[in-house]
Amino acid sequence: MKKRKIVMVVGAVMLVLSACGQTESAEGTQEDAGSLIIEKIVDEDEVQKTQAPDSVTPDSSDGTEEEEPSATTEGDVPEKKDSTNSAEIPEEKGKEASDEAQTKESAGTGNPLYEAFLKNETSAANPYVEGMELTVMDDEKYESEFEDARKKYAYVDVNADDNPELIFKISSDTSELMYILGICDNELTCFDVFESHTRNISFSVYDYGLVWEIRNDDGFEMTLYSYTADGQQVRARRFTEEDDADLAAQEGEEPEWIDWQYH
């Protein structure tokens, strides 16, 4: 009986000790778990701090990725240019040059009466000499006064009707002869004739339409003329001072003269 009590006491002690051990083990386990949690939190903070600079890298890389489409867009521009056939550029330039040549040709051949005159197929009456016909070929009178003459012509609108008149000019040393021919009632009409055989008298036409004449034989005088629709001469301006005449001359230039060659 006494032995049995001892066994029970020992068993109780062992139970108490076992319970204490489990409690200490549980407390140790909890402490270990708590330390692990703290360490884990600390580690996560360190990881976040460590990864914070790294987070900038993805942003910069994202920025780079966003710039790539713009580069691609810019790259599309040369692709668009390349889509144009380079062989078409010279062809277009050649076409433009051809169109320009055709425009000049059409301006020069706008009226068949002008072409007939330049080909010496027709003539115009001289308004100042009755019975005298004006042609591109010199008659006996002009052959002696215009030796080795240079002949040229231009198209200038001298009466503001938007239709150019034919200006035909013959020059030889100090001698000059200029016809102004227009079209009235579908007929070739001589508007005016200028003639000089001295250096004291000169004449020509500005590209904007006024005909000018300068005389230095008895003091300086410059007169500018325009014309009516039917070819009547109208004095537009007159200068007696060379400086004023120079200012007037700056308003226009010589027209585009074309050398005449007999066909």
Side-chain angles (χ1 to χ4, degrees):
M1 186 73 178
K2 189 175 186 177
K3 185 176 181 180
R4 185 175 178 183
K5 291 181 178 179
I6 293 171
V7 172
M8 292 176 65
V9 171
V10 171
V13 171
M14 291 180 65
L15 288 173
V16 172
L17 292 176
S18 175
C20 292
Q22 289 177 359
T23 303
E24 292 176 355
S25 176
E27 290 176 358
T29 303
Q30 291 177 357
E31 290 177 358
D32 293 340
S35 63
L36 289 175
I37 293 171
I38 293 172
E39 290 177 357
K40 184 176 180 181
I41 293 173
V42 172
D43 292 340
E44 287 178 355
D45 292 339
E46 292 178 354
V47 169
Q48 290 178 356
K49 291 180 180 180
T50 304
Q51 292 180 350
D54 296 338
S55 64
V56 178
T57 304
D59 292 340
S60 60
S61 63
D62 292 339
T64 305
E65 292 176 358
E66 292 177 357
E67 293 176 356
E68 288 180 357
S70 62
T72 305
T73 303
E74 294 177 356
D76 291 340
V77 176
E79 290 179 2
K80 185 176 180 180
K81 293 181 179 179
D82 293 339
S83 64
T84 303
N85 189 352
S86 59
E88 294 177 359
I89 298 175
E91 183 178 353
E92 291 178 358
K93 290 182 178 179
K95 184 179 179 181
E96 291 176 359
S98 176
D99 292 342
E100 183 178 357
Q102 290 178 0
T103 301
K104 290 183 177 180
E105 183 180 358
S106 62
T109 60
N111 194 296
L113 292 177
Y114 292 153
E115 288 299 304
F117 180 86
L118 293 173
K119 294 178 180 179
N120 201 33
E121 296 175 353
T122 189
S123 60
N126 189 333
Y128 301 102
V129 180
E130 186 177 355
M132 181 178 178
E133 295 294 320
L134 300 176
T135 67
V136 296
M137 302 299 294
D138 297 341
D139 57 20
E140 294 181 358
K141 174 180 181 295
Y142 290 127
E143 284 180 357
S144 61
E145 297 176 350
F146 291 90
E147 295 181 0
D148 300 324
R150 179 194 175 190
K151 301 176 183 180
K152 58 184 180 180
Y153 62 95
Y155 293 95
V156 181
D157 182 10
V158 299
N159 60 359
D161 64 350
D162 296 329
N163 295 311
E165 279 67 48
L166 174 63
I167 316 298
F168 190 83
K169 196 171 186 180
I170 304 173
S171 302
S172 174
D173 195 17
T174 59
S175 297
E176 284 188 318
L177 180 66
M178 185 172 73
Y179 309 152
I180 301 177
L181 304 176
I183 307 297
C184 292
D185 297 328
N186 295 322
E187 293 184 1
L188 185 64
T189 304
C190 181
F191 286 8
D192 213 341
V193 176
F194 291 83
E195 184 175 0
S196 172
H197 301 282
T198 173
R199 297 187 186 278
N200 293 329
I201 300 176
S202 59
F203 41 78
S204 189
V205 58
Y206 288 129
D207 56 359
Y208 65 86
L210 287 184
V211 175
W212 60 267
E213 180 183 32
I214 294 178
R215 292 178 175 269
N216 273 315
D217 48 357
D218 187 19
F220 178 85
E221 181 181 4
M222 179 180 185
T223 308
L224 291 90
Y225 302 100
S226 62
Y227 295 85
T228 62
D230 59 353
Q232 299 299 313
Q233 185 188 87
V234 178
R235 190 170 73 175
R237 304 173 73 178
R238 179 174 176 270
F239 302 95
T240 57
E241 298 292 337
E242 292 190 35
D243 292 340
D244 295 337
D246 289 340
L247 292 176
Q250 292 177 6
E251 297 177 2
E253 298 179 355
E254 284 282 314
E256 183 179 352
W257 292 102
I258 304 171
D259 287 334
W260 177 88
Q261 293 182 354
Y262 178 65
H263 299 281

